[in-house]
Amino acid sequence: MRIGEIAALVGVTSRAVRHYHHIGLLPEPARQANGYRAYTVRDAVLLARIRRLTEIGLSLEEVRDVLADDAGRELTEVLGELDADLARQERELHERRRVLAALLEAPLTPDGPLSPALAALLERAPATASPAAAKDREHLALLDAAAGGAGAEVYAALRPLAEDPGVLTLYERLDELAGAGPDDPRVALLAAELVAAVPDGVLAVIPDGEPSPTGFGRVLLDDYPPAQREVVRRVMAALAERVRTRAGGGTP
């Protein structure tokens, strides 16, 4: 094979192959009498290995270390590992296409595309012009995208809450705190009522230690003005404590 052929076979560019030669990651193959490089199946396997390792996030130096460990293995063993890796990629692609098909079947919404589970949850929620409710929907859509639609159990558990008309009153009270400070006396009472409104079934599907006011949770908190942020922070802390208590076998 020539350089263009091996590059096309593996799915990289000829420029990438030359770069790997330049840095010593991919050995230069023997050249034919006409001066062209002559690549073998072994070269193709090695190039495919380099591509896969870089795709999963390894630096070229880390790839070099992995390849050094591979040097003493039989070609059949390396090919078997590559075949297993391709099989895993096929399964992942199949799952992604399954999720995409479900998304295409779900009703289109301004928040979309949403996972079918979240779309079903939001359909159950009563209509409201509450800015706090709109923000909640945005955060759910963001979490849904970040989790790859993996929150189906949580959304199912939240359904009774979404269908409860009393939640609209809680949203309205949260809206009223938009211009208030974090020490407003209404904060503690509203936070306690919001925590009490969360069904026990939700706790069973929330991982221990979540929700957390760090990382992704911190980004969500920063989206609120001071008083509302304090309400949400207290709710997150209280729910995390309820999850820990439940996991420990105690009572909330």
Side-chain angles (χ1 to χ4, degrees):
M1 289 181 287
R2 294 183 179 178
I3 189 169
E5 294 171 326
I6 191 175
L9 176 64
V10 176
V12 298
T13 64
S14 297
R15 182 178 181 181
V17 176
R18 294 190 183 93
H19 177 63
Y20 296 149
H21 287 326
H22 179 69
I23 63 175
L25 197 59
L26 182 67
E28 284 266 6
R31 290 182 180 267
Q32 298 174 323
N34 58 10
Y36 289 113
R37 298 180 182 91
Y39 293 92
T40 65
V41 172
R42 168 72 73 169
D43 295 319
V45 169
L46 180 55
L47 183 57
R49 183 81 165 140
I50 293 170
R51 177 193 172 186
R52 186 67 196 121
L53 291 171
T54 55
E55 283 180 343
I56 62 176
L58 269 65
S59 68
L60 292 181
E61 282 303 314
E62 290 171 327
V63 171
R64 192 187 305 277
D65 292 339
V66 174
L67 296 182
D69 293 336
D70 284 350
R73 296 196 295 164
E74 294 293 329
L75 177 59
T76 53
E77 184 182 354
V78 177
L79 284 172
E81 185 175 312
L82 282 172
D83 183 64
D85 190 52
L86 287 172
R88 180 188 58 76
Q89 291 182 60
E90 286 180 343
R91 291 192 298 271
E92 290 178 353
L93 182 60
H94 176 76
E95 177 60 18
R96 287 161 62 186
R97 292 194 65 192
R98 185 193 67 77
V99 172
L100 178 60
L103 290 175
L104 291 173
E105 292 176 1
L108 294 178
T109 70
D111 308 297
L114 303 174
S115 68
L118 180 55
L121 173 67
L122 296 182
E123 283 180 7
R124 298 273 185 164
T128 175
S130 164
K135 190 182 294 292
D136 226 10
R137 291 173 67 99
E138 291 175 358
H139 291 169
L140 282 172
L142 182 57
L143 288 167
D144 189 54
E153 287 186 328
V154 175
Y155 304 145
L158 282 172
R159 183 170 296 178
L161 185 61
E163 296 173 342
D164 183 0
V167 172
L168 295 182
T169 301
L170 296 177
Y171 275 132
E172 290 170 0
R173 289 168 59 189
L174 189 58
D175 289 331
E176 292 170 0
L177 290 173
D183 56 350
D184 190 289
R186 295 171 292 177
V187 166
L189 180 60
L190 178 56
E193 292 186 34
L194 284 168
V195 172
V198 176
D200 287 339
V202 176
L203 302 180
V205 293
I206 295 180
D208 189 21
E210 294 294 337
S212 171
T214 61
F216 199 82
R218 171 57 58 187
V219 174
L220 299 187
L221 282 176
D222 289 344
D223 199 27
Y224 289 96
Q228 293 181 345
R229 183 186 308 129
E230 180 60 17
V231 171
V232 176
R233 186 197 66 77
R234 290 186 181 214
V235 170
M236 292 171 66
L239 289 180
E241 180 59 31
R242 282 178 62 185
V243 171
R244 285 192 295 271
T245 302
R246 186 184 183 93
T251 56

